[in-house]
């Protein structure tokens, strides 16, 4: 199936692609309209090539709102994506992650025995966060180490230092 931009520019090409996908795509029943709409918006936002403009799907939005509230329940570590790997940017001082020996630069390999390879950052964070008092086991590869280690961490109420209310 080819979807081109020979039609009038702008929303007409988006509408044409939408119609082709919904009616002519072989597995059209496997992709819902919400997923298509979110993909279209994500593509438009990415086309802006602006590091300050991002698209959050409903899960990412919920996570960002929780983080902006200044507290969350989890392990207390900042994580990001580096070289397609989920990497610890820094544990929060005195947090369960810090106390368990998590270090900046650690690569998270598994969460509760489940490989995170190919998962996006939001999905991994959602696996790590959870109710305070519950345990999560992270398999991490420390910088310079050859073998990953398991860190058993009891989740707690975490105050995000930069956003915590006084």
């Amino acid at each position: 199936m080819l979807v081109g931009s020979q039609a009038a520019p702008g929303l007409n090409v988006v509408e044409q692609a939408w119609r082709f996908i919904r009616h002519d795509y072989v597995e059209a029943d496997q992709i819902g309209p919400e997923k298509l709409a979110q993909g279209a918006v994500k593509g438009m936002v990415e086309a802006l090539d602006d590091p300050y403009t991002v698209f959050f799907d409903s899960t990412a939005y919920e996570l960002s709102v929780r983080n902006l509230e200044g507290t969350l329940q989890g392990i207390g570590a900042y994580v990001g994506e580096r070289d397609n790997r989920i990497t610890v940017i820094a544990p929060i001082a005195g947090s369960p992650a810090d106390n368990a020996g998590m270090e900046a630069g650690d690569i998270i390999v598994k969460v509760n025995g489940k490989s995170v390879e190919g998962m996006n950052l939001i999905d991994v964070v959602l696996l790590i966060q959870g109710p305070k008092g519950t345990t999560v086991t992270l398999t991490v590869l420390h910088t310079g180490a050859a073998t990953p280690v398991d860190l058993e961490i009891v989740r707690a109420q975490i105050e995000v230092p930069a956003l915590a209310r006084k």
Side-chain angles (χ1 to χ4, degrees):
M1 174 174 72
L2 296 175
V3 178
S5 59
Q6 292 177 338
L11 289 179
N12 287 340
V13 72
V14 174
E15 186 178 341
Q16 180 186 27
W18 181 279
R19 269 185 280 153
F20 279 143
I21 292 168
R22 296 299 297 154
H23 299 288
D24 297 329
Y25 182 61
V26 175
E27 296 178 358
D29 60 334
Q30 300 296 314
I31 186 164
E34 183 171 324
K35 187 170 184 176
L36 277 178
Q38 286 191 5
V41 173
K42 183 178 179 184
M44 287 188 284
V45 169
E46 286 174 2
L48 298 174
D49 198 23
D50 176 8
Y52 304 106
T53 305
V54 295
F55 171 72
F56 287 156
D57 63 20
S58 58
T59 304
Y61 176 76
E62 177 67 31
L63 182 61
S64 70
V65 168
R66 277 193 271 159
N67 288 341
L68 289 173
E69 291 172 347
T71 61
L72 55 93
Q73 294 181 21
I75 64 168
Y78 297 105
V79 294
E81 231 175 306
R82 290 189 185 149
D83 300 322
N84 294 319
R85 297 172 130 184
I86 307 302
T87 305
V88 176
I89 297 168
I92 296 172
S95 70
D98 187 34
N99 295 337
M102 186 168 277
E103 303 167 358
D106 284 353
I107 296 168
I108 299 173
V109 179
K110 296 179 184 177
V111 177
N112 288 331
K114 180 179 180 176
S115 173
V116 301
E117 186 174 344
M119 293 178 70
N120 67 44
L121 179 63
I122 300 296
D123 290 338
V124 175
V125 168
L126 290 172
L127 285 176
I128 295 171
Q129 288 183 345
K132 67 181 179 180
T134 60
T135 301
V136 62
T137 302
L138 300 182
T139 304
V140 300
L141 183 62
H142 292 302
T143 303
T147 308
V149 296
D150 287 338
L151 301 178
E152 194 170 283
I153 305 171
V154 178
R155 297 173 179 112
Q157 184 76 24
I158 306 296
E159 288 197 26
V160 182
L163 301 174
R165 295 185 178 108
K166 303 232 180 208

